[in-house]
């Protein structure tokens, strides 16, 4: 597609349930990033992938969060046993390579934990 | 660790007047600096970047920013504001080496009044 695509655009889930958020980066982009944007907050880095290298997971807030990237393209962010504080907009971005200076963002998935 | 400060939650300016959105940063090594804009119900869009060279960088939609190393600032400016510039603006930084993910400020809401 023309841009970074994220699905679903909105997700409401019950506390304690697991959720999966999907990101389709721009074709050919080797670097992929996940960020979280909480209400009134800036963007919080979660994880990034670069090609076949080990991902940088240093921003994941707890072991309930995990992400994978299959075939160097699509990525899935999984949150297990969701908590209300996980409610946020989850943004995915991609760039042509890790040292490319411009990241292209998707429109995000708004997660609400009730 | 790197950080970004955007001291103003909101900036109000009349249409046709110049605008400035402030940003200061902290990073080890040389900074790569960015401005992104977020319109309502839309993803983040890249505006401009400073990597090296001329301290005054020009970007999309008539925006520009000035890198000031001694003041560790990267303020966003536009000579004549438009109502359509009203949006949420994020400053971001990453170091030239080490972790490649961007660190974002908390954002500044720009409101341009007609």
């Amino acid at each position: 597609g023309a841009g970074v695509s994220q699905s679903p655009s909105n997700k409401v889930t019950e506390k304690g349930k697991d959720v999966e958020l999907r990101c389709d980066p721009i074709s050919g982009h080797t670097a992929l990033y996940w960020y979280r944007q909480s209400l009134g907050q800036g963007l919080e880095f979660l994880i990034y992938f670069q090609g076949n290298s080990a991902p940088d997971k240093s921003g994941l807030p707890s072991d309930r969060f995990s992400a994978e990237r299959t075939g160097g393209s699509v990525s899935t962010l999984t949150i297990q046993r969701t908590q209300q504080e996980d409610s946020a907009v989850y943004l995915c971005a991609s760039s042509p390579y890790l040292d490319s200076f411009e990241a292209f963002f998707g429109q995000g998935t708004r997660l609400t934990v009730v | 660790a790197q950080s970004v400060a955007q001291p103003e939650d909101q900036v109000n300016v009349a249409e046709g007047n110049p605008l400035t959105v402030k940003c200061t940063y902290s990073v080890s090594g040389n900074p790569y600096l960015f401005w992104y804009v977020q319109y309502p119900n839309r993803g983040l869009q890249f505006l401009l970047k400073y990597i090296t060279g001329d301290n005054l960088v020009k970007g999309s939609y008539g925006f520009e920013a000035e890198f000031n190393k001694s003041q560790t600032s990267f303020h966003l400016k536009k000579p004549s504001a438009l109502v359509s510039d009203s949006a949420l603006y994020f400053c971001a930084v990453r170091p030239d080496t080490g972790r490649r993910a961007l660190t974002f400020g908390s954002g500044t809401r720009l409101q341009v009044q007609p």
Side-chain angles (χ1 to χ4, degrees):
Chain A
V4 177
S5 177
Q6 291 187 246
S7 61
S9 54
N10 282 283
K11 176 72 176 179
V12 179
T13 190
E14 293 181 351
K15 179 181 173 181
K17 299 283 190 183
D18 297 353
V19 294
E20 286 189 351
L21 312 180
R22 177 186 169 105
C23 173
D24 282 273
I26 294 173
S27 178
H29 281 195
T30 60
L32 185 148
Y33 310 81
W34 283 99
Y35 288 85
R36 177 169 70 175
Q37 185 177 18
S38 302
L39 186 63
Q41 304 290 319
L43 278 73
E44 175 189 7
F45 164 73
L46 298 177
I47 186 171
Y48 75 72
F49 299 87
Q50 168 55 31
N52 295 321
S53 301
D56 180 340
K57 305 179 181 180
S58 60
L60 295 178
S62 79
D63 59 7
R64 295 186 295 106
F65 288 72
S66 63
E68 64 177 21
R69 189 178 184 192
T70 54
S73 181
V74 172
S75 177
T76 302
L77 177 69
T78 300
I79 309 173
Q80 296 178 310
R81 305 181 303 281
T82 52
Q83 304 294 315
Q84 287 186 331
E85 60 263 29
D86 299 334
S87 297
V89 176
Y90 290 81
L91 293 167
C92 176
S94 70
S95 59
Y97 50 93
L98 192 57
D99 277 337
S100 171
F101 302 116
E102 180 178 344
F104 296 83
F105 281 81
Q107 294 197 11
T109 293
R110 182 175 299 278
L111 175 66
T112 304
V113 182
V114 297
Chain B
Q2 53 261 29
S3 65
V4 176
Q6 293 183 243
E8 303 151 317
D9 290 338
Q10 180 157 326
V11 169
N12 298 308
V13 64
E15 187 174 31
N17 284 0
L19 69 88
T20 298
V21 182
K22 295 179 180 177
C23 171
T24 58
Y25 67 90
S26 174
V27 69
S28 298
N30 296 314
Y32 294 159
L33 294 153
F34 306 81
W35 277 100
Y36 281 81
V37 59
Q38 187 176 38
Y39 296 102
N41 301 316
R42 296 176 65 177
L44 269 75
Q45 296 178 32
F46 170 81
L47 269 184
L48 51 79
K49 63 180 182 279
Y50 170 82
I51 304 301
T52 187
D54 195 344
N55 289 345
L56 184 65
V57 294
K58 295 185 183 297
S60 308
Y61 313 120
F63 284 92
E64 58 188 29
E66 186 165 13
F67 170 61
N68 187 316
K69 187 172 183 178
S70 63
Q71 297 186 3
T72 62
S73 67
F74 190 58
H75 302 330
L76 182 70
K77 300 181 180 183
K78 187 174 183 180
S80 179
L82 300 172
V83 172
S84 57
D85 293 330
S86 298
L88 188 58
Y89 290 80
F90 290 96
C91 181
V93 68
R94 53 158 278 202
D96 59 345
T97 59
R99 197 177 87 175
R100 302 306 206 274
L102 295 176
T103 297
F104 285 83
S106 56
T108 297
R109 186 164 300 280
L110 174 66
Q111 195 69 41
V112 181
Q113 286 116 9

